[in-house]
Amino acid sequence: MKALQKTLERNPKKAREIELAAKQEIPKWDEWLKIKSVCGNFDKSKVQHVLIANAVPLSESKYLGKLQKVPWRAIIDLDPDSEKNGLYHIFHQEADQQTLIESWVPGNIVAINSGDLGSAIDWKKVPWLFSNGRTKDSPANQPQKDFKEWKARWLSANSHFMKVLVENLDQHKPVAIFILPFEGTTAQYMRVLLSRVDEELTAKYFTSVKHLIIESSSSFSLNQEQLSDICNPVCFYRLPMNLLGFGIMFCLGCAPPKAKMMPTAVSGVRVPLNGTELLYLQEYLTLLYDGCEKEELGVNSASLDEDQIDEIVERQKKSFLSGQRVSLLNLAYDHDARRDGLDEFRTWIQRHLDQKPVALSTVIELVHQPGTGGSTFAKRAVWELRSQHPCALVNERRKVRIPEQEDDFIWDVCDRIWFLEELCGTAPLILLDGESSVFRRSSLSRRIAERLSSRGGKAAILHCLRGTEISEFAKEKSSHISLRLKSKLTREEKKKFMDKYGEPQVPEQRASKRNAPIRGRDPGLSRTFHFPLCAFVDEFKTKMEEIVSSSVDELDETEIQIALFVAIMQNYGGRSVPASLILRLFLKERCLVQRRLSSTDARDLSEHLTCSPSYDEIDKSFSQDLRLLLVQSATEMIRGEEYVCYDLQHVVVANSVLKKLLGAGDSSYLRLEQYLEKLLDLDGIRSLDDKFLGLFEDVFLHNKNGDHKLSFAVLIETLKQHTSPESAGELLHKAARVFPSARFYSHVARYFIYSQPRNYDAAGDMITAGLQALRQGESKVILYDVRGLLYRVRLSEYVETGRVHSLQQLEDMAGEAIREYCNAVSVPPTWPHPLVGKVQVWVKCLDWIVKNCCHGNVTEVVAFLSRDAPEFFRDCLSEAFYHIEVIEQLLMTRSLADHGDSTKEKVDDLKMKLCFVKAKSHAFSSSRSVASSNRLLFECKKLSHNPELAYHSQRELRRLKVYYLMYREGVAASLESLTDEELTYLFKVLQELVEQDKEHRFISNLLRVASHLPRHEALSLDDGIRLARVWQKATVFDPFAHFYLSMFYFLKVLNGHVVEYGAKYEEAMQKCKDFSQLCKSSYNSLYYLGKSGSGLSALVHKSALPSDTTDEFWRLKSRDTFRELEGRIKVEPAGHKRQRSRTYIELINSGLRVFVGRYQGIGEVGRDYHVDQLAKFVLSFNMRNPVAHGVVVSSRIPVIS
């Protein structure tokens, strides 16, 4: 009430309105206080809120806008006209929008598979279900006028939505269902919906469910007795809507929020973020705007006095010193101790950001051992740069399970970073620091940087990584820098820590459990010492181990199991443990006993025994000694909702607990293995929800503590080393049976493949079991890939040990592997591993053929394959080269999830082996002299006309000639380095392959070679269009086919064929954009329009550009090579609030649009030039748009003195 009183003093007008309303409805304000209590002050961390409403009377609408401030988990709207004049319209009219909304109608739900709705709903937003459809919608979603029709057509979709909603609620938090029954005609609908919601909630045993029916003078009165039969408990409140609106306004903050200000490129200038912009960015980013730390004071922080603020800050400080992660309040109030090198690190980042402009998006890896303060170090550096540069932290908003979800996550993050850069006009600093396996992979930051750079976006990505080694990628790239944080303090740092924190606290003497079995969290600092000290300073570690040992000695058997489980998850998985998981595995019986002891009413007891315990009950079930070891955090995001989790206070404590409970030496790992086997036998483990699967995947499969050399997770590698490979494999196999998923079974199969001795039969059984146990939505691709690996490794072993005795046996074994890899290849290919596996199979086959069919003479391989080899091996050499070409294109155009660097190394090695076989053949020579080049062409022509060779062999030889000229000693040759004679010969061979042999996969090579031919030999645009159309039909999903076609259409329009090719160009360009969305180089220009030439020879490939393409080159020297075009400058208005207007140039006569690059430096419209002003430029083509370079405005805006 203090907050309300202060707010009324600041706003006398609202106070007067409340006073008048209170005089008329004095008892009703008490009703509001009851509602507020049941709803937990509308705090989403305490209560989950669901709203069910129907048509809103016009007289009440002006008061209901404040409902938008409530953190709803879902809204169910029975008003088909809600978008026009109902609740949906009211919410969108609010200037201070609190959350984003996602609309759903029953027709869309019906169209989705039953198991996919949960993943289709974006739980970061509020799902808004139009329960009876929408008036302004397609016929399939029109409202049903009759209740029976609605029940027959839409009830199943509504019930499905309710089920998915309840599955995504936290059953350990109370649920408040807010019901606003305004219109009597929908009373039947509302009763049915309430009954379905209550059925689902009851089935899940939620800790507490309250139905709040709020009726005003204009409301239709629902029958209380009928509702009590449908759902229980039901609370009826008679409250005017104006008081409800006023109450929510004062409870959740009545003052309009101050603008969030972010720094810009101009020193001292700030840009404000409006509500929509802020919501959009905060879906994935925590923005460090001015005063962002005040958000951690609470929703009504403006009404807090200094004493209350000091109390919250002191509590945050104690929390940090007790092992919690550093918060923004900790950073703002300087609770952390500064490490040496922080100032130099911050200055280095600032200098990099101050470069105008930043050349590329840069990745800065900060590698640190777990528990050594790397996150605090990185956040402190970012915090101190927030006033000079826009800074943000990436949120771990949802768990990512499959590569497609990870890809979506990266795109969403990139969209926000791109928008933040556009908004502030300068490169932002972004910190990646999360718990999940996605955040712990170094490839995440690289993929984000690559995608930003491909779109012209620029940012500095600071990635905080747990581990000990710097990635190989970082050693090779100037745009990827890696630094290692020391895990030991220097003498000066120790002194700083001592001065900062003082002596560690010594625990007070406590009574033993027998004398004082008190359970409940102490109000003060319940930890035994400052963890920033014990983590680094050796003098305190002995004392710490003594305290941990004494605390563990006081635990009962159940609490020992909890402490050991949390320690294993933290040490081997790097993960916190959700409180609900601890409850399911260890505390169910204890919580029920506590309820029996605390309940005084038999009726209350029967209700309590069927409800899930709340988080407070779970916390109170811990003894004081266990609480000395654990720290509570609410950082685990599961399906968009925060779940309370527990950690041991520090990695050092986790190690001490493991040492205390498992002992030391190799016997401790044997006990660890035995404990995990018993854990997997628990009934609670076998009935876990899928949402907890990621925790066990990290422990058993993914977490390698940053050591890229490990083949399996740290847990499995450790057990394999200290117990036995067989027992470690059995444990992994048991985990796969408990958590039957494609990932688990594929890892077990891979383990058996690489174990010594290799167990191929067991690996095959695992793959078969994985295919049989596939979960809904899981892909078979990973299992097919591992089965291909199984057959490939077995083939390699048989070849190396001499157990392949005939070509037929070789064909049978290689064919098995090739078939499985083909099953694993998607269309179009998006994953390189199966393609690499196929090439490795072919290389192994070539090794056997050289040794057994060519008597070890490599020079005879091509002749043998062309004449004597079975059909299966005839094309193996060219097929291998083709797959390498596809893999290299994937590596160049796609941001691969992981192991991209190792894949490139494998491909380079395979390419060298293939080129060695080809170069040693009689048909080919690797020399580059003119004489040998002529000799090569002579031999190729002679061999091509050899009558002894079948047509099929001639086609294979043509393929090999192409790959010979495209690759020299394993390196892709630049077409500029080929002689005119070689280019002409290569072009003719490609023409034969495409036109005669119908090898459409070579069209891209043919078109590229055609652009390098002399003018008199070049293809015409009509020929290019014809070939591109054939290519487009053959490979529908290949964005390059659409790119070439759109480029040729553009040139046709440029040449004056506007009517015939204008619409075709727009269609092809749109398809190119659609199919190149996941291509990381889609914004990179591939071709430029040359100054001379006709047809395809007028195009200049990007490889012909000089290395020093400065601004001066583009404005002056580029005209010597490229054709200069002229057009008028236009500005395309923003499509929506998250888009910026774009400058483009409209070509004279043709009307074609050419967009101006972001960093062309042509100035601002209205300041440096005006719309419709003439400009000259040179032209390039990428997969998104034609782009203007070297733009020169004909004359600047005149200044009149």
Side-chain angles (χ1 to χ4, degrees):
M1 296 302 291
K2 287 182 180 180
L4 175 60
Q5 184 178 356
K6 288 188 176 183
T7 309
L8 293 176
E9 290 174 357
R10 294 194 191 105
N11 199 331
K13 183 178 178 181
K14 293 293 182 186
R16 179 62 179 164
E17 291 182 18
I18 292 252
E19 184 180 350
L20 292 174
K23 285 181 180 179
Q24 297 172 1
E25 302 279 354
I26 292 176
K28 303 308 177 187
W29 193 250
D30 292 336
E31 295 282 272
W32 157 250
L33 294 178
K34 294 176 184 177
I35 294 172
K36 179 183 171 184
S37 175
V38 172
C39 293
N41 292 334
F42 296 95
D43 185 350
K44 68 177 182 179
S45 66
K46 297 178 181 177
V47 177
Q48 302 166 102
H49 308 88
V50 178
L51 175 61
I52 301 178
N54 50 25
V56 177
L58 186 63
S59 59
E60 307 280 16
S61 61
K62 59 183 177 181
Y63 305 116
L64 295 178
K66 299 307 174 186
L67 284 173
Q68 196 265 345
K69 283 181 168 287
V70 178
W72 303 109
R73 287 291 284 143
I75 296 174
I76 301 164
D77 194 347
L78 281 159
D79 181 11
D81 293 315
S82 188
E83 288 180 315
K84 181 179 179 181
N85 51 22
L87 201 61
Y88 190 89
H89 175 75
I90 294 170
F91 274 37
H92 276 272
Q93 289 293 105
E94 281 293 300
D96 178 24
Q97 194 174 350
Q98 296 295 303
T99 187
L100 297 176
I101 291 170
E102 184 180 57
S103 301
W104 285 88
V105 288
N108 293 346
I109 295 174
V110 171
I112 297 175
N113 292 332
S114 59
D116 298 337
L117 180 61
S119 58
I121 296 175
D122 187 353
W123 296 102
K124 303 183 299 298
K125 302 173 183 176
V126 177
W128 189 302
L129 174 64
F130 291 91
S131 178
N132 193 19
R134 289 180 292 210
T135 302
K136 291 186 177 181
D137 208 328
S138 61
N141 291 317
Q142 289 290 320
Q144 305 300 310
K145 296 181 180 179
D146 182 72
F147 173 69
K148 291 183 179 179
E149 292 180 5
W150 173 84
K151 195 172 180 180
R153 185 173 185 184
W154 294 143
L155 182 57
S156 61
N158 278 268
S159 300
H160 189 193
F161 180 87
M162 305 293 183
K163 180 179 180 180
V164 172
L165 168 63
V166 171
E167 287 175 352
N168 284 274
L169 295 176
D170 185 352
Q171 64 189 115
H172 305 294
K173 286 183 189 175
V175 179
I177 300 178
F178 227 72
I179 304 162
L180 298 179
F182 288 113
E183 193 179 48
T185 56
T186 58
Q188 290 177 293
Y189 300 79
M190 196 163 279
R191 290 190 184 102
V192 171
L193 290 176
L194 285 173
S195 67
R196 294 303 169 94
V197 173
D198 195 68
E199 285 175 13
E200 298 296 339
L201 289 169
T202 304
K204 293 292 182 180
Y205 304 107
F206 272 71
T207 182
S208 173
V209 179
K210 299 288 185 183
H211 300 79
L212 292 84
I213 300 179
I214 302 173
E215 299 178 347
S216 67
S217 57
S218 59
S219 298
F220 175 79
S221 180
L222 291 170
N223 189 305
Q224 186 168 355
E225 293 181 0
Q226 288 182 359
L227 284 181
S228 297
D229 294 338
I230 295 172
C231 52
N232 194 46
V234 180
C235 305
F236 280 81
Y237 302 97
R238 296 285 297 178
L239 186 68
M241 291 298 106
N242 60 341
L243 284 184
L244 178 64
F246 289 143
I248 291 175
M249 183 173 64
F250 288 120
C251 184
L252 297 178
C254 64
K258 294 181 180 179
K260 317 300 184 186
M261 310 295 288
M262 296 289 287
T264 64
V266 182
S267 178
V269 177
R270 296 286 191 270
V271 60
L273 303 177
N274 63 37
T276 306
E277 292 170 339
L278 190 66
L279 287 172
Y280 176 70
L281 290 168
Q282 286 183 332
E283 279 191 281
Y284 286 91
L285 301 177
T286 298
L287 301 174
L288 301 188
Y289 49 78
D290 297 342
C292 59
E293 70 277 4
K294 294 179 183 177
E295 298 293 332
E296 295 185 355
L297 295 174
V299 293
N300 208 12
S301 58
S303 62
L304 299 176
D305 56 32
E306 291 186 5
D307 292 339
Q308 291 172 317
I309 293 175
D310 290 342
E311 182 182 347
I312 294 174
V313 171
E314 185 61 25
R315 190 162 60 243
Q316 284 278 351
K317 180 179 179 180
K318 290 180 177 179
S319 178
F320 171 64
L321 296 180
S322 304
Q324 284 275 22
R325 296 179 182 88
V326 66
S327 67
L328 298 184
L329 270 179
N330 296 140
L331 295 170
Y333 285 87
D334 202 27
H335 294 157
D336 56 314
R338 301 174 70 85
R339 294 287 305 271
D340 288 347
L342 177 63
D343 293 336
E344 291 82 355
F345 181 64
R346 185 194 65 244
T347 303
W348 182 86
I349 294 176
Q350 184 167 358
R351 285 176 180 170
H352 175 77
L353 289 169
D354 285 340
Q355 295 173 5
K356 304 293 184 182
V358 179
L360 289 170
S361 291
T362 306
V363 174
I364 306 158
E365 285 184 357
L366 182 65
V367 181
H368 66 98
Q369 290 184 353
T372 56
S375 296
T376 304
F377 183 89
K379 286 181 180 177
R380 168 55 66 185
V382 175
W383 178 262
E384 293 184 354
L385 288 168
R386 77 192 189 286
S387 59
Q388 291 87 29
H389 300 276
C391 298
L393 285 61
V394 176
N395 298 328
E396 201 170 1
R397 298 295 301 182
R398 62 182 172 186
K399 295 301 172 194
V400 179
R401 292 279 171 262
I402 57 177
E404 289 77 10
Q405 290 178 346
E406 186 175 330
D407 216 46
D408 292 341
F409 173 78
I410 290 173
W411 272 118
D412 289 336
V413 170
C414 287
D415 285 342
R416 272 67 178 180
I417 298 174
W418 167 277
F419 179 61
L420 183 61
E421 184 202 358
E422 285 277 302
L423 201 65
C424 300
T426 186
L429 173 61
I430 307 297
L431 175 61
L432 293 174
D433 183 25
E435 262 204 348
S436 73
S437 58
V438 175
F439 275 73
R440 290 203 295 268
R441 286 206 296 266
S442 61
S443 61
L444 175 65
S445 52
R446 173 164 55 85
R447 295 173 70 195
I448 291 176
E450 285 174 348
R451 292 196 177 174
L452 284 173
S453 298
S454 72
R455 299 176 59 178
K458 293 172 176 60
I461 313 294
L462 175 56
H463 196 178
C464 203
L465 286 170
R466 299 175 185 178
T468 55
E469 60 175 57
I470 296 174
S471 67
E472 292 297 324
F473 187 84
K475 297 176 184 177
E476 300 173 1
K477 299 286 184 179
S478 59
S479 60
H480 195 116
I481 301 101
S482 199
L483 307 168
R484 186 184 291 111
L485 184 66
K486 294 180 179 177
S487 57
K488 295 290 185 180
L489 293 183
T490 63
R491 182 175 300 177
E492 292 75 13
E493 285 178 314
K494 287 182 180 181
K495 186 177 184 305
K496 285 181 186 178
F497 271 55
M498 290 295 295
D499 293 341
K500 183 78 176 179
Y501 300 120
E503 292 293 331
Q505 295 183 357
V506 178
E508 297 179 2
Q509 188 68 30
R510 303 187 311 273
S512 66
K513 281 190 173 182
R514 297 175 183 176
N515 299 328
I518 299 172
R519 295 181 180 271
R521 188 167 292 281
D522 293 341
L525 179 65
S526 63
R527 312 293 177 248
T528 54
F529 39 76
H530 294 317
F531 274 90
L533 284 173
C534 79
F536 292 105
V537 186
D538 295 334
E539 288 83 347
F540 298 113
K541 288 189 177 179
T542 302
K543 181 64 177 175
M544 180 201 67
E545 291 183 355
E546 292 176 4
I547 297 171
V548 170
S549 178
S550 62
S551 297
V552 172
D553 287 338
E554 294 292 325
L555 303 180
D556 60 29
E557 185 59 35
T558 299
E559 291 176 333
I560 287 174
Q561 297 297 314
I562 294 172
L564 187 54
F565 178 66
V566 175
I568 291 171
M569 297 297 111
Q570 184 172 349
N571 193 63
Y572 290 103
R575 294 289 297 274
S576 305
V577 181
S580 53
L581 182 57
I582 295 176
L583 171 72
R584 291 189 183 198
L585 298 182
F586 306 108
L587 293 177
K588 266 191 174 181
E589 294 298 325
R590 178 175 291 186
C591 288
L592 290 176
V593 170
Q594 285 184 339
R595 281 186 170 180
R596 289 191 180 96
L597 295 175
S598 60
S599 181
T600 56
D601 188 279
R603 182 179 175 182
D604 290 342
L605 177 61
S606 63
E607 290 181 4
H608 283 168
L609 294 181
T610 59
C611 297
S612 296
S614 66
Y615 285 121
D616 286 339
E617 290 179 290
I618 296 173
D619 192 61
K620 289 177 181 178
S621 66
F622 297 151
S623 68
Q624 184 181 1
D625 296 286
L626 181 58
R627 211 173 287 112
L628 283 172
L629 300 172
L630 296 178
V631 60
Q632 188 185 94
S633 60
T635 57
E636 185 78 6
M637 301 296 296
I638 302 176
R639 293 177 180 170
E641 182 70 10
E642 283 189 354
Y643 277 68
V644 173
C645 299
Y646 287 95
D647 276 323
L648 289 166
Q649 293 171 317
H650 196 273
V651 174
V652 179
V653 177
N655 290 329
S656 297
V657 169
L658 291 176
K659 183 178 178 181
K660 170 70 176 177
L661 295 175
L662 299 177
D666 287 345
S667 60
S668 65
Y669 298 103
L670 182 60
R671 284 188 282 272
L672 170 63
E673 192 174 72
Q674 292 169 349
Y675 171 81
L676 290 171
E677 288 178 353
K678 291 179 180 178
L679 178 72
L680 294 174
D681 287 331
L682 293 178
D683 293 335
I685 284 281
R686 294 179 178 273
S687 60
L688 281 181
D689 297 338
D690 287 350
K691 61 187 176 185
F692 297 119
L693 180 62
L695 177 69
F696 293 94
E697 283 184 349
D698 278 352
V699 173
F700 286 98
L701 308 181
H702 300 314
N703 184 36
K704 298 180 181 179
N705 280 344
D707 189 349
H708 306 290
K709 297 177 183 178
L710 295 181
S711 300
F712 300 94
V714 170
L715 174 67
I716 301 303
E717 293 283 2
T718 302
L719 293 177
K720 185 169 69 170
Q721 180 181 355
H722 293 281
T723 56
S724 70
E726 293 78 13
S727 61
E730 284 302 316
L731 178 66
L732 193 57
H733 182 193
K734 188 172 186 176
R737 292 197 302 269
V738 175
F739 310 109
S741 69
R743 287 182 181 272
F744 260 103
Y745 277 113
S746 64
H747 271 73
V748 180
R750 198 164 58 87
Y751 184 89
F752 286 135
I753 291 170
Y754 287 120
S755 62
Q756 294 297 335
R758 304 186 191 278
N759 193 340
Y760 298 124
D761 292 337
D765 292 341
M766 290 300 98
I767 296 167
T768 302
L771 290 170
Q772 294 172 351
L774 276 178
R775 296 164 181 258
Q776 190 169 19
E778 273 194 309
S779 174
K780 302 177 181 179
V781 166
I782 189 172
L783 291 167
Y784 287 136
D785 181 64
V786 174
R787 184 180 277 171
L789 172 69
L790 163 64
Y791 293 145
R792 178 178 65 79
V793 172
R794 187 175 64 181
L795 171 66
S796 298
E797 182 180 321
Y798 274 50
V799 168
E800 291 166 5
T801 56
R803 285 187 281 172
V804 177
H805 305 295
S806 65
L807 269 173
Q808 185 60 49
Q809 183 185 359
L810 182 68
E811 179 180 343
D812 293 341
M813 296 185 72
E816 287 180 321
I818 294 294
R819 280 191 295 274
E820 296 303 326
Y821 281 132
C822 287
N823 290 333
V825 176
S826 59
V827 180
T830 57
W831 192 35
H833 295 84
L835 299 173
V836 174
K838 289 176 75 173
V839 178
Q840 289 172 323
V841 171
W842 290 129
V843 168
K844 188 56 65 176
C845 290
L846 288 170
D847 286 344
W848 189 91
I849 290 171
V850 169
K851 183 178 179 181
N852 295 276
C853 299
C854 301
H855 310 291
N857 189 354
V858 181
T859 61
E860 301 295 333
V861 172
V862 174
F864 175 81
L865 293 176
S866 302
R867 297 171 179 169
D868 305 321
E871 187 75 18
F872 181 78
F873 297 106
R874 289 277 175 88
D875 301 338
C876 68
L877 196 52
S878 64
E879 282 293 311
F881 272 112
Y882 170 67
H883 288 316
I884 283 179
E885 198 172 36
V886 174
I887 296 165
E888 288 183 329
Q889 184 174 326
L890 278 176
L891 293 173
M892 285 190 297
T893 59
R894 299 215 173 224
S895 298
L896 300 179
D898 211 357
H899 308 303
D901 305 329
S902 61
T903 301
K904 188 177 184 305
E905 290 176 5
K906 289 178 184 177
V907 170
D908 290 342
D909 180 60
L910 291 170
K911 194 161 54 175
M912 290 294 292
K913 291 179 180 178
L914 291 171
C915 286
F916 175 78
V917 172
K918 176 171 57 59
K920 294 297 182 182
S921 171
H922 284 317
F924 303 105
S925 170
S926 61
S927 175
R928 289 292 296 124
S929 68
V930 177
S932 64
S933 178
N934 293 335
R935 178 66 180 170
L936 162 70
L937 297 178
F938 174 77
E939 291 295 335
C940 285
K941 294 173 183 177
K942 181 180 177 181
L943 190 60
S944 298
H945 295 89
N946 191 331
E948 296 180 6
L949 294 178
Y951 165 74
H952 184 89
S953 300
Q954 291 282 4
R955 183 171 59 181
E956 174 67 3
L957 285 173
R958 282 193 283 272
R959 295 180 193 138
L960 295 178
K961 293 168 194 173
V962 170
Y963 288 124
Y964 166 72
L965 290 167
M966 301 294 287
Y967 294 103
R968 299 300 175 92
E969 298 297 334
V971 180
S974 171
L975 293 180
E976 286 77 13
S977 66
L978 298 181
T979 66
D980 290 342
E981 190 178 6
E982 287 174 328
L983 273 173
T984 303
Y985 184 75
L986 176 60
F987 176 72
K988 290 180 178 179
V989 174
L990 284 167
Q991 269 191 319
E992 290 177 1
L993 281 168
V994 171
E995 304 287 359
Q996 179 180 328
D997 301 329
K998 308 301 181 185
E999 296 274 350
H1000 297 146
R1001 69 191 189 192
F1002 288 98
I1003 292 179
S1004 61
N1005 294 322
L1006 176 61
L1007 293 176
R1008 185 181 166 191
V1009 171
S1011 67
H1012 288 74
L1013 290 175
R1015 189 174 190 175
H1016 64 279
E1017 297 180 0
L1019 287 177
S1020 66
L1021 284 176
D1022 291 331
D1023 289 332
I1025 290 172
R1026 177 179 57 82
L1027 289 169
R1029 283 174 174 170
V1030 172
W1031 186 11
Q1032 186 186 50
K1033 291 178 181 178
T1035 56
V1036 180
F1037 301 103
D1038 193 338
F1040 286 97
H1042 301 286
F1043 165 72
Y1044 276 100
L1045 190 58
S1046 66
M1047 182 170 60
F1048 297 153
Y1049 283 150
F1050 184 97
L1051 294 178
K1052 274 288 190 180
V1053 175
L1054 190 63
N1055 292 341
H1057 304 280
V1058 180
V1059 176
E1060 184 179 358
Y1061 291 101
K1064 293 179 180 179
Y1065 161 71
E1066 296 291 344
E1067 181 185 0
M1069 190 73 250
Q1070 187 58 49
K1071 285 184 178 180
C1072 182
K1073 290 178 182 179
D1074 293 340
F1075 288 113
S1076 65
Q1077 288 181 9
L1078 298 180
C1079 181
K1080 71 180 182 183
S1081 59
S1082 61
Y1083 286 84
N1084 297 343
S1085 294
L1086 298 177
Y1087 285 95
Y1088 295 80
L1089 184 59
K1091 190 174 184 178
S1092 60
S1094 62
L1096 270 61
S1097 65
L1099 296 171
V1100 179
H1101 192 261
K1102 65 177 182 178
S1103 59
L1105 282 179
S1107 57
D1108 55 338
T1109 53
T1110 60
D1111 290 342
E1112 181 183 0
F1113 167 82
W1114 286 116
R1115 284 198 167 87
L1116 301 175
K1117 298 179 182 179
S1118 63
R1119 270 63 175 177
D1120 298 336
T1121 309
F1122 305 125
R1123 178 179 170 185
E1124 185 176 70
L1125 300 176
E1126 190 175 35
R1128 294 194 177 275
I1129 298 178
K1130 306 280 186 178
V1131 176
E1132 182 184 69
H1136 52 77
K1137 291 184 179 181
R1138 293 193 294 275
Q1139 276 186 348
R1140 290 309 191 199
S1141 58
R1142 295 196 298 170
T1143 303
Y1144 67 92
I1145 299 175
E1146 187 178 273
L1147 295 181
I1148 298 173
N1149 298 327
S1150 65
L1152 291 169
R1153 289 186 175 191
V1154 178
F1155 286 87
V1156 179
R1158 298 181 70 208
Y1159 295 98
Q1160 290 299 312
I1162 65 172
E1164 295 291 333
V1165 62
R1167 185 189 71 189
D1168 301 301
Y1169 58 87
H1170 56 72
V1171 176
D1172 281 341
Q1173 194 163 353
L1174 283 172
K1176 296 180 179 180
F1177 60 94
V1178 297
L1179 179 67
S1180 74
F1181 300 93
N1182 64 32
M1183 293 188 188
R1184 309 300 296 176
N1185 282 301
V1187 180
H1189 300 269
V1191 181
V1192 178
V1193 181
S1194 58
S1195 61
R1196 295 291 178 178
I1197 293 178
V1199 179
I1200 301 175
S1201 58

